[in-house]
Amino acid sequence: MKIIKIFALLGLSVCSLFGHAQINKQIQVRSELSSPIILEGTPETNYLKVSLSGQNIDSKKRVPINLAIVIDKSGSMSGQRIEKAREAAILAVNMLNENDTLSIVAYDSEARVIVPATKVDNKLRIIGLINENIYAEGGTALFAGLSKGIKQVENQLTKDKVNRIILLSDGQANIGPSSVDELSQLAIIAAKKNIAITTLGIGSDYNELLMSSIASYSDGNHVFVNNSADLENVFVHEFNDLMSAIAQDVVITIQLKNGVKPVRLLGRDGVIKGNEITVKMNQLFSNQEKYVLLEVIPDKGKVGQEKTLAQVDLKYDNLLENKTENETQVVRISYTKDKKMVDDAIHQDVIVETELQKVALENEKALELYNQGKRDEAQQLLRENGEALKAISAQSPTMSMSDKERIENQARKNKTLAESVQKPDFSKTLTEEQFQLKQSAIKK
Amino acid sequence: MKKITTILSLFLLMTLISFLGWRSIEHEVLMRKNNETLLAKSHINNIKLSIESLLNQRISYFNSLISMIDSDHNNAKELLEKETDFRKIFVINKNNILFLSHSEDSSWHSLVESIALDHSLLLNLKDHDEQFQPNSGWYQNYDHLIYWFIVSDDIIGFELSTVKLTFDIINLLDNQSLEDNFKLINNDKQIYSNGKTFENEITESLKYPLQNWHLTYYYSSPNLVNLYILGIGGIGLLILVLFGFVFYGYREYTRTLRLAKQQVTFVGQVSHEFKTPLTNITLYSEMLSEYLEEEPAPIPDYLQVISAESKRLTRLIQNVLTFNKPNNLNIKPVNLTALLKQVYLTFKPILAAKSLQLNLINLENDCIVNTDADSVMQILNNFLSNAEKYASKGKQVDLSLCRSGKQVVITVRDYGEGVASHLLKQIFKPFYRVSSSITEGVSGTGIGLTIANQLAKQLQGEIKVINKKPGIAFSLILMEQKNENINC
């Protein structure tokens, strides 16, 4: 009998070990070079792509959300906008459950906490408060509103929750600190507390630079809501993201070895210190792949040689398991004389992402030109960028269908953007597009 | 004339009450305003202190970090990545920059360089004298706000993150003061506002280095309308009540007066109607007594009684009529001494009949006064008949006349039971009669003394009553017109 028990226990523990092993796979890391095999002696620019993709194994389980909705209720919001904002907030209340925490801050000339961070267990009361307090009047004290939103999330901040703020605004911040720099600093403060801020710009009067900066500095999302009727859809979309969060506080450290030189990060912001590159991501969702693209110049090598190019360390908080996890991968590079081998080894998908990020950088210039009033030049640049993408897609016969589609999709987008230069909301649309592109997330 | 004085004095009283009331309302208003201001000041101070304490917390926090940074500058980098209270750090040794974060920021770089070149830049000269060298302090240069420490040879500086400070202040104020109305302004930027804007405001600047931050506290004037309404209402009510009392008193007074007048008029009219039949009764009874003089007893005696009683009734009615219609005075020099002697002779037998002895004592010689002899006679008659009626137990009655200065005093004093002191004033009232054992069974109208008093007033004199124990003394005091040097 005893022996059977021991075996049973052993069996159980082995099972649990395997179980862990499986859960560890919730984030799949792939570190690959655009050209893992290169010609000897001629070190060319190479691209290292570290991609993380979330796998949701247990789709029913979801991470509790700690959300603050910060609503602009300034005078300009009056009418349909404030109504839709109210509806969106109520939608949010209905989508959350008693494990989640919700707070609502509304600001006009001053900011007021309408619903202090509470568990969403009495939905009727919260909805009552929303309907009672959210009506449009006054100025736009965005800084104060956001500050209070951050505070509310901070009050309930724990590592096992998705901590997020949804900021809704349709106007220029005009009360309190209002510069892009000051609000970016506030977003950085939020980011340091592991709070992401998603900014929703409504209509055509908001400051897209300000709103997108807040989102990018805190690793949140930025969406341009042209028609306030779409607000609910945007909310649903955002919530689907939030509810599929599986990892938080992701830190990717790339250590370049053997004389490899870093050039730049494409898309994502990160810190390059000597040979060490650190990139942080606030959240990772199960339905997307996020990646880091690093442009490097490898060292010279001899034929047949294989060198370690980089060591990639990944650290993140597993939200489903409530623990910090680590993973290390090594990226190698080989040298050859054979041009054919080099071409065959090329990872087309890395090239594609590289091209997309490069276009993002070029498009950034177009945005700058546009903001300087050089509309025609901006249009020209956008069109050229699109054409360049098309050419790439045409030149590479080996490219997979999905990659081709991504490239062509962006080329189409560029074309549409170039055509819509004269439209009033052009810069807002472009800012949003840029933001999405630079987020370097591939929706699955 | 009297009415006008009364109205005028009432009006004056009203004005006085209104004035005093108004002054106290004004005083109350001033006090409330003052209280509001004081309250606002204490609130603004509280807010100010809590903001400044936030800054002090920063200083002590920086203080706790310096040893870490001084030992290893890499710690500074790590701190910068994690912490939010400061944005940039520098470490200077003598004139060398040992560590500088954000060296790509040119304005920051050149600022730190200039500090490295000249440390005295950091000293805020207006705050310290030259001998005293502080080890730490704030340094402000445009939008850089630096807190620095001197640690052995090194100078460590933290650039404060004003955004984080603002963030903390907003949330601190959000937690703290919910009832207050205020605005916090940095230069022209509104940092925080709570509540509404009111007409009264107090503005205070924060301490260095936040001297550009202004705190404006708004407070409403206390709701004075209520106070004014209440105050004025109170005064109005007071005046109204006062007038009510005066009016009530006046009405009561006039009512009593009217009643008394009606009574008197009624009695007068009735008396007048009595007079004619009474005269006939007297006349015919006298005629009958003459006619039946020779008849055997008791007929003449009966007639005698009828005649005497009718005469007495006539006298009483005469009294009433006299009281009702003041008789015409016939002022002439009267020899009071002679008059008194006459009275003495008249009353001596009447009093004797009640076994009272009338004494004429202390009689002045030739006391001549300008007065009406009939009136004086009537008054004395009243006095003596009162004595006869009510003081028969005293066995004697004294009649005296004396002079004191310009006054001539005629006194009738009896030795009876007297009148209780508290009733002395009442006895002059019309139709008042002291109810006691001595007045029982004695007929009287109760207006004798009233008439006497009226007459005395007409003669510009007065009647004094003094309780003598035993007995009582009624004195008629007349003013002497002729100056004669004869004393009592």
Side-chain angles (χ1 to χ4, degrees), chain A residues 33 44-47 256 260-263 294-298 309:
Chain A
L33 276 169
E44 282 179 2
T45 312
N46 211 331
Y47 298 95
L256 298 177
V260 182
K261 287 190 180 63
V263 181
L294 178 66
E295 190 176 325
V296 291
I297 299 175
L309 181 118

Side-chain angles (χ1 to χ4, degrees), chain A residues 29-33 48-52 251-257 277 279 292 294 308-315 326-332:
Chain A
V29 191
R30 272 195 311 159
S31 312
E32 47 195 12
L33 276 169
L48 173 63
K49 180 186 170 198
V50 180
S51 69
L52 310 173
V251 182
I252 302 160
T253 316
I254 304 169
Q255 269 192 313
L256 298 177
K257 311 261 181 181
I277 296 95
V279 177
V292 176
L294 178 66
T308 304
L309 181 118
Q311 184 187 326
V312 179
D313 290 302
L314 175 72
K315 185 172 144 277
N326 289 293
E327 200 171 335
T328 304
Q329 286 191 346
V330 173
V331 185
R332 292 173 176 282

Side-chain angles (χ1 to χ4, degrees), chain A residues 263-322:
Chain A
V263 181
R264 58 176 172 169
L265 278 163
L266 290 170
R268 255 171 205 290
D269 287 322
V271 184
I272 303 177
K273 254 190 284 177
N275 284 335
E276 195 176 275
I277 296 95
T278 315
V279 177
K280 286 178 184 169
M281 291 182 199
N282 208 321
Q283 269 134 12
L284 191 66
F285 305 113
S286 68
N287 55 359
Q288 62 176 216
E289 178 187 328
K290 281 195 174 181
Y291 61 85
V292 176
L293 261 184
L294 178 66
E295 190 176 325
V296 291
I297 299 175
D299 201 17
K300 286 174 191 168
K302 289 179 183 130
V303 179
Q305 202 179 19
E306 190 181 0
K307 281 188 189 173
T308 304
L309 181 118
Q311 184 187 326
V312 179
D313 290 302
L314 175 72
K315 185 172 144 277
Y316 62 93
D317 289 335
N318 186 333
L319 282 171
L320 296 174
E321 293 293 308
N322 287 340

Side-chain angles (χ1 to χ4, degrees), chain B residues 427-443:
Chain B
I427 55 174
F428 289 101
K429 284 186 176 172
F431 307 109
Y432 179 83
R433 291 190 76 203
V434 177
S435 57
S436 72
S437 56
I438 50 166
T439 57
E440 247 169 58
V442 182
S443 65

Side-chain angles (χ1 to χ4, degrees), chain B residues 73-106:
Chain B
H73 300 158
N74 280 328
N75 284 336
K77 288 181 200 165
E78 277 173 28
L79 283 172
L80 277 169
E81 269 172 38
K82 274 192 292 178
E83 295 300 329
T84 49
D85 287 346
F86 47 88
R87 297 176 65 194
K88 295 161 190 167
I89 297 178
F90 69 76
V91 181
I92 295 172
N93 182 278
K94 304 237 167 83
N95 290 335
N96 302 318
I97 300 173
L98 293 186
F99 174 80
L100 179 67
S101 70
H102 299 80
S103 49
E104 70 280 0
D105 183 343
S106 60

Side-chain angles (χ1 to χ4, degrees), chain A residues 30 41 54 74 98 103-105 115 129 138 156 171 185 221 227 283 303 319 337 375 382 433:
Chain A
R30 272 195 311 159
S74 61
E98 65 273 12
S103 50
I104 295 175
V105 177
V115 181
L129 283 171
Q156 298 289 329
Q185 278 187 51
N221 211 352
N227 183 355
Q283 269 134 12
V303 179
L319 282 171
K337 280 197 287 191
R375 292 189 173 189
L382 282 171
E433 289 292 344

Side-chain angles (χ1 to χ4, degrees), chain B residues 317-336:
Chain B
I317 284 166
Q318 193 55 51
N319 270 350
V320 171
L321 291 176
T322 317
F323 167 71
N324 225 11
K325 278 187 193 148
N327 51 347
N328 295 326
L329 293 178
N330 182 17
I331 305 287
K332 59 181 183 193
V334 176
N335 188 339
L336 287 179

